[in-house]
Amino acid sequence: MEIKYLGHSAFEIETKGKKILIDPFLVACPNYKPEGITDIFVTHGHGDHLGSAIEISKSTGAPITAVYELANYCAQKGASAIDMGLGAWQNYSWGKAILVPAFHSSSTPDGGYCGCPCGFVFEIEGQTIYHAGDTCLNTEMKMIGEIYEPDMAMLPIGGKYTMDIEHAVKAAEWLGATAIVPMHYNTFDAISVDISEFERQIREIGKMPMVMKIAQG
Ligand code: NI
Ligand code: MN
């Protein structure tokens, strides 16, 4: 399995010839070519998460998996879509994804209703990866830790709209994950952080900070 960070909350995970994209907002990675994408996951409707998902779905044929209302919005815009409700799971050619709660807001780019904001738990090659989407610290993370036992957690740390570093450290403890990948920081001034402080605090609780460089193309 190979994980690429595409900036903000966007990741590409390649596994056994399949490629999944999560929250493909690609301003930090303008040369990225979404080729061979098998599946797209979108945590909520905000533009910095929906990003280019609809265009990429149309050009690659990869379906967008999202909560029911957001999946319907994507389908109305001509994308292929897979809908789910919170707590539901779905099997894919490469593994499994579970839709889990996030505490945030959500709307379509034109201001419409698109269901609740979400996170995803992915089971790929025996590894469990949690992508939190945009969220504040919340005790559902204890449930996610207990039920899904993530090995890796991708957590927003930028503050202002989501958890900050201090709350992400608490989330890491509750989730029980060993590897903690920061996201949703330094894209805009409002969410700038000192990433060395994240690394220091995550190490302090005995976990591994995995600060990923933004992929070049
Ligand atoms: Ni958001
Ligand atoms: Mn966001």
Side-chain angles (χ1 to χ4, degrees):
M1 176 174 17
E2 193 197 341
I3 302 176
K4 268 190 196 170
Y5 182 43
L6 306 178
H8 206 53
S9 297
F11 294 87
E12 181 201 270
I13 303 177
E14 184 168 4
T15 171
K16 295 177 186 161
K18 316 277 181 172
K19 278 187 191 172
I20 73 170
L21 260 184
I22 311 163
D23 282 358
F25 173 67
L26 303 171
V27 292
C29 197
N31 297 321
Y32 175 72
K33 301 254 183 318
E35 283 159 3
I37 300 300
T38 316
D39 279 285
I40 303 164
F41 292 83
V42 179
T43 58
H44 64 295
H46 290 158
D48 60 318
H49 297 262
L50 183 59
S52 310
I54 291 168
E55 293 77 10
I56 296 171
S57 172
K58 286 180 181 174
S59 68
T60 62
I64 297 171
T65 298
V67 73
Y68 173 76
E69 292 85 351
L70 179 54
N72 281 353
Y73 172 83
C74 295
Q76 279 164 16
K77 296 287 177 193
S80 129
I82 297 173
D83 63 334
M84 275 206 272
L86 286 177
W89 55 270
Q90 171 89 29
N91 282 325
Y92 297 83
S93 57
W94 43 265
K96 180 175 173 179
I98 303 125
L99 195 67
V100 295
F103 281 63
H104 184 64
S105 59
S106 187
S107 54
T108 57
D110 49 12
Y113 173 70
C114 66
C116 58
C118 302
F120 287 100
V121 173
F122 299 99
E123 294 180 6
I124 306 172
E125 295 180 30
Q127 295 288 303
T128 301
I129 301 170
Y130 167 55
H131 185 293
D134 277 358
T135 187
C136 64
L137 182 65
N138 66 84
T139 54
E140 295 296 331
M141 290 168 177
K142 294 184 180 177
M143 177 279 287
I144 293 167
E146 182 179 333
I147 304 293
Y148 302 111
E149 300 180 337
D151 301 290
M152 175 185 289
M154 297 164 166
L155 302 177
I157 65 163
K160 176 81 170 165
Y161 307 107
T162 68
M163 297 191 284
D164 59 7
I165 290 172
E166 283 71 22
H167 281 188
V169 169
K170 180 52 77 177
E173 285 183 333
W174 286 352
L175 290 159
T178 310
I180 311 300
V181 179
M183 62 181 186
H184 213 272
Y185 70 98
N186 290 359
T187 321
F188 317 110
D189 287 347
I191 57 171
S192 63
V193 305
D194 173 0
I195 197 64
S196 66
E197 188 55 26
F198 166 81
E199 295 177 293
R200 189 187 67 73
Q201 292 192 32
I202 290 291
R203 280 201 194 95
E204 209 169 79
I205 60 166
K207 297 188 182 292
M208 184 179 30
M210 277 184 62
V211 177
M212 298 180 69
K213 284 209 163 54
I214 297 172
Q216 297 305 309

